[in-house]
Amino acid sequence: MFWTNTNKNSISASFIFVIILGLVLGCGGGSGKTCVGELTFEGKTFQGTANEASTDYKGEDRVEAQARDNACSSYCIEGDKGYDRMYQEFIKTPEAKKINIDFNAEKITLKEKKWAAMTNEKLSRYIDQCRKGCLKQHSDGTQVIAVKCQ
């Protein structure tokens, strides 16, 4: 009796899991085009990913544009020396305590800490200016941001 009920419960649970998995993958997982933008600066590559659902851009090439934008944001946060300087100053201020991350924790990567810090208004404005400058350099042809889509 126990084996029969357990077997039926396992089959029911498995069936429900397969249905839910199918719905998740069918309705939201992997629909539309995904693009990755890459820019290399001083030998280091910075990437930004975008897909149909994640872009605010309009137009035919909007996913490619968002991937370029995200690659520039990645560079500005992870590789820009000006942001790094501002970040180093910021973590010493009382403002840093308002952000929900321990900047002294060793288990959190510097990359994660820098991304978290950009929620500060001053740092966010700097990133926005840096990103716009990066995109302008791409438009001018002085900085290549390669985009691959699938």
Side-chain angles (χ1 to χ4, degrees):
M1 182 68 93
F2 174 75
W3 180 254
T4 306
N5 286 341
T6 304
N7 200 14
K8 285 180 185 177
N9 289 341
S10 295
I11 291 171
S12 295
S14 297
F15 179 72
I16 291 170
F17 176 75
V18 169
I19 296 297
I20 291 172
L21 183 63
L23 287 172
V24 169
L25 293 177
C27 295
S31 62
K33 176 168 52 173
T34 298
C35 298
V36 177
E38 284 189 352
L39 83 92
T40 302
F41 183 75
E42 294 182 352
K44 187 170 180 188
T45 301
F46 302 91
Q47 290 187 330
T49 304
N51 60 42
E52 296 284 341
S54 70
T55 184
D56 294 330
Y57 280 91
K58 306 288 183 228
E60 190 174 316
D61 297 330
R62 69 184 194 278
V63 179
E64 291 90 334
Q66 186 70 59
R68 275 190 293 279
D69 191 298
N70 292 349
C72 282
S73 291
S74 180
Y75 158 73
C76 291
I77 294 168
E78 299 169 27
D80 182 74
K81 291 179 176 136
Y83 180 75
D84 187 58
R85 241 184 336 274
M86 290 179 71
Y87 166 81
Q88 295 298 332
E89 292 171 14
F90 169 75
I91 61 173
K92 298 173 188 171
T93 68
E95 283 289 307
K97 290 179 178 43
K98 294 179 182 177
I99 296 178
N100 193 19
I101 193 168
D102 181 1
F103 290 103
N104 296 315
E106 292 181 24
K107 65 182 177 184
I108 301 171
T109 66
L110 178 60
K111 180 178 173 178
E112 292 171 309
K113 293 174 185 177
K114 284 184 167 186
W115 278 90
M118 74 159 282
T119 59
N120 171 268
E121 186 179 333
K122 183 179 177 183
L123 294 176
S124 181
R125 279 195 312 267
Y126 182 87
I127 294 300
D128 192 45
Q129 291 174 345
C130 176
R131 182 183 48 78
K132 287 176 183 175
C134 174
L135 292 169
K136 184 176 182 327
Q137 286 182 340
H138 173 72
S139 295
D140 295 347
T142 56
Q143 176 64 56
V144 176
I145 303 171
V147 177
K148 295 177 186 163
C149 299
Q150 48 180 328

